Amino acid sequence: AQSVTQPDIHITVSEGASLELRCNYSYGATPYLFWYVQSPGQGLQLLLKYFSGDTLVQGIKGFEAEFKRSQSSFNLRKPSVHWSDAAEYFCAVGEYKLSFGAGTTVTVRA
Amino acid sequence: EAGVAQSPRYKIIEKRQSVAFWCNPISGHATLYWYQQILGQGPKLLIQFQNNGVVDDSQLPKDRFSAERLKGVDSTLKIQPAKLEDSAVYLCASSSRTDSYEQYFGPGTRLTVT
């Protein structure tokens, strides 16, 4: 069965500081991995995805993620956070049927 | 290109009442999904359509939930009768044949059952 664990429920980061969100997955084959962001009252927006190839994936809004098969992880990073990055972030695994983690809420302080 | 449209955006009903949600996917997208997102949790897939056929409805509570996608375009999700635990955001998503792993989400319908 496929599943995702996001260990951090809430992270607070200062504007301009770096951000890393953790994601661990369980999947039977080569995983299809995604990171989505959800702002209040909005739907989910895809930040980036990994299917195969280079394990460091670049996404929109300056985000990147690294796939590590040995650790079953797909952590999301951003070198310098902006106040507009405050949102909820979801990691997901699957092909057509996505399984989402519970999400990590990011608060950005000035 | 227009995104996934959903209506209504908000709905408040009493338990045992019925409610329906509507979704219009991105034009040309063959696959349509309905997700339920309970507060504090990630979205959970309820049902997946390919054109007007059901691909996966294994997590749809069929005793009270129903969904249809007539003509392979718009879709309606219905709950009858609603329970308190149905309070959630209901998200619709769609994907195309050529990039079928990328799902585009609508803004969702927030349902409150009192």
Side-chain angles (χ1 to χ4, degrees):
Chain A
Q2 60 189 48
S3 66
V4 170
T5 301
Q6 294 181 247
D8 305 304
I9 296 174
H10 190 197
I11 286 180
T12 299
V13 60
S14 297
E15 192 168 16
S18 63
L19 174 68
E20 181 167 12
L21 304 181
R22 296 183 292 165
C23 171
N24 295 101
Y25 69 88
S26 173
Y27 195 75
T30 301
Y32 294 81
L33 293 158
F34 306 82
W35 274 101
Y36 284 87
V37 61
Q38 186 176 36
S39 298
Q42 303 297 314
L44 280 74
Q45 181 184 22
L46 181 67
L47 287 175
L48 47 77
K49 59 190 176 188
Y50 172 80
F51 297 158
S52 63
D54 192 346
T55 57
L56 186 62
V57 182
Q58 301 298 319
I60 63 171
K61 304 185 179 187
F63 284 92
E64 65 178 25
E66 186 171 12
F67 169 63
K68 293 185 177 180
R69 184 185 297 276
S70 61
Q71 298 178 21
S72 298
S73 70
F74 188 56
N75 293 348
L76 181 71
R77 299 193 292 255
K78 186 168 184 177
S80 177
V81 169
H82 186 262
W83 63 266
S84 60
D85 294 322
E88 190 157 21
Y89 292 79
F90 292 93
C91 182
V93 67
E95 295 182 48
Y96 303 102
K97 181 177 180 177
L98 295 182
S99 294
F100 286 83
T104 298
T105 300
V106 173
T107 298
V108 181
R109 59 180 175 224
Chain B
E1 112 189 310
V4 176
Q6 292 188 245
S7 68
R9 292 294 310 275
Y10 305 92
K11 189 75 177 178
I12 300 174
I13 62 172
E14 295 182 351
K15 59 184 179 183
R16 292 187 289 274
Q17 286 186 325
S18 63
V19 65
F21 313 127
W22 173 83
C23 172
N24 183 242
I26 292 173
S27 178
H29 279 195
T31 309
L32 185 147
Y33 310 80
W34 282 103
Y35 289 85
Q36 179 192 56
Q37 186 179 16
I38 293 173
L39 186 65
Q41 300 180 18
K44 181 185 79 172
L45 179 69
L46 292 176
I47 188 168
Q48 176 188 346
F49 292 94
Q50 179 76 20
N51 296 309
N52 61 353
V54 175
V55 174
D56 185 345
D57 64 357
S58 57
Q59 298 192 89
L60 186 73
K62 299 180 187 62
D63 58 333
R64 299 183 299 106
F65 286 64
S66 64
E68 60 182 12
R69 191 184 184 197
L70 301 176
K71 302 180 182 179
V73 182
D74 295 8
S75 178
T76 302
L77 176 69
K78 296 179 181 178
I79 308 175
Q80 181 179 7
K83 293 185 176 181
L84 295 177
E85 58 261 36
D86 298 331
S87 294
V89 175
Y90 290 85
L91 295 164
C92 180
S94 68
S95 63
S96 71
R97 291 184 186 279
T98 56
D99 191 9
S100 54
Y101 299 124
E102 182 163 348
Q103 298 183 25
Y104 296 83
F105 284 80
T109 296
R110 181 176 296 278
L111 173 67
T112 302
V113 182
T114 63

